[in-house]
């Protein structure tokens, strides 16, 4: 039975590889630290357009536990620029920093994140020597592709696309046993996401 399941997933992956289409839509992520005594979960939302990605981070408001502070960014792959929306709604711009700090390799194993299948990728442990990190891995989607930027990490740190596939789960295992984790809670394909970029007043690109 396991062999049949693996074969079916492999055939699905091959068929999709020949019909890759850039994902357009919204992915909502949960951010947590498994094993930590602090039981809290933050979140972020990524909006994928054909040549740009909007990142909205929801961080705890230091003044009130009932509110979350929003931080908004847009990475534009054609202009090669990164835009940040300041609290007073002014747009700040900088050069795009999207090259990942980790190089992931496909383990050829399958993983599942909220019933969504993906390939498991890992970082060579030898490259982690001297750090308080024991393991770095992610699960990249079998179904959702973003070939526009095959290896893309927000600010160079948070993997968003690995091997042309949307990252569904990114987990770091630390020496103390804690596991910082970012995982996809919702994946929502859409036909048009232009309204999400209206605050930045950026020209929509083909």
């Amino acid at each position: 039975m396991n062999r049949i399941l693996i074969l079916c997933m492999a055939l699905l992956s091959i068929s999709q590889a020949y019909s890759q289409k850039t994902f357009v839509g919204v992915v909502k992520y949960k951010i947590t630290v498994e094993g930590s005594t602090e039981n809290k979960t933050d979140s972020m939302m990524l909006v994928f357009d054909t040549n740009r990605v909007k990142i909205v981070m929801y961080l705890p408001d230091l003044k009130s536990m009932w509110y979350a502070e929003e931080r908004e960014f847009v990475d534009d792959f054609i202009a090669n620029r990164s835009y940040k929306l300041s609290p007073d709604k002014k747009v700040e711009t900088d050069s795009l920093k999207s090259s990942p700090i980790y190089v992931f390799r496909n383990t050829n194993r399958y993983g599942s994140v909220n019933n969504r299948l993906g390939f498991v990728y890992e970082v060579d442990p030898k490259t982690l020597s001297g750090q308080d990190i024991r393991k770095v891995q992610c699960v990249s989607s079998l179904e959702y592709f973003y070939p526009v930027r095959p290896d893309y990490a927000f600010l160079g740190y948070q993997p968003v696309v690995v091997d042309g596939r949307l990252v569904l789960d990114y987990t770091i295992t630390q020496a103390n046993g804690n596991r910082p984790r970012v995982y996809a809670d919702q994946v929502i394909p859409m036909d048009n996401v232009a309204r999400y970029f209206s605050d930045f007043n950026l020209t929509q690109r083909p």
Side-chain angles (χ1 to χ4, degrees):
M1 183 66 181
N2 288 337
R3 291 183 178 179
I4 295 175
L5 178 61
I6 292 174
L7 178 61
C8 290
M9 289 190 293
L11 292 174
L12 174 64
S13 174
I14 293 172
S15 65
Q16 288 172 335
Y18 284 101
S19 60
Q20 287 189 15
K21 182 180 179 181
T22 299
F23 174 81
V24 174
V26 172
V27 183
K28 296 182 180 181
Y29 292 88
K30 298 291 187 182
I31 306 171
T32 188
V33 180
E34 296 178 347
S36 173
T37 55
E38 296 184 13
N39 186 19
K40 66 177 184 178
T41 301
D42 298 324
S43 62
M44 71 176 182
M45 179 179 72
L46 270 65
V47 183
F48 292 84
D49 204 350
T50 51
N51 286 295
R52 58 187 179 176
V53 174
K54 179 178 181 179
I55 303 96
V56 183
M57 302 188 72
Y58 303 97
L59 303 176
D61 191 320
L62 298 178
K63 298 180 180 179
S64 173
M65 62 177 295
W66 302 107
Y67 296 95
E69 177 186 354
E70 290 188 13
R71 297 184 184 178
E72 300 183 35
F73 306 82
V74 168
D75 285 348
D76 188 318
F77 303 125
I78 292 182
N80 202 34
R81 307 294 293 174
S82 182
Y83 304 92
K84 176 182 177 182
L85 190 66
S86 65
D88 58 358
K89 299 300 180 181
K90 292 183 179 179
V91 177
E92 304 171 4
T93 181
D94 197 358
S95 57
L96 182 61
K97 301 178 180 66
S98 64
S99 299
I101 60 173
Y102 294 123
V103 177
F104 288 91
R105 60 183 182 183
N106 195 336
T107 67
N108 293 316
R109 302 196 314 267
Y110 294 99
S112 176
V113 182
N114 287 336
N115 297 319
R116 300 182 184 92
L117 293 175
F119 288 116
V120 176
Y121 290 78
E122 292 182 353
V123 174
D124 186 346
K126 296 178 182 178
T127 64
L128 302 174
S129 59
Q131 302 185 37
D132 292 329
I133 298 174
R134 295 293 177 262
K135 186 177 183 180
V136 178
Q137 75 172 33
C138 71
V139 177
S140 290
S141 175
L142 277 177
E143 183 178 1
Y144 302 113
F145 299 92
Y146 202 73
V148 177
R149 188 61 63 104
D151 291 287
Y152 162 54
F154 172 55
L155 295 178
Y157 178 76
Q158 171 65 48
V160 174
V161 181
V162 169
D163 201 18
R165 303 172 183 274
L166 297 192
V167 172
L168 300 176
D169 184 290
Y170 171 53
T171 303
I172 296 175
T173 302
Q174 299 176 332
N176 61 6
N178 289 349
R179 300 173 72 238
R181 184 184 178 209
V182 181
Y183 61 95
D185 183 52
Q186 297 181 55
V187 180
I188 310 168
M190 303 175 71
D191 293 328
N192 190 303
V193 293
R195 63 185 178 88
Y196 287 95
F197 295 83
S198 59
D199 285 346
F200 284 81
N201 195 30
L202 303 175
T203 302
Q204 185 174 7
R205 300 176 182 275

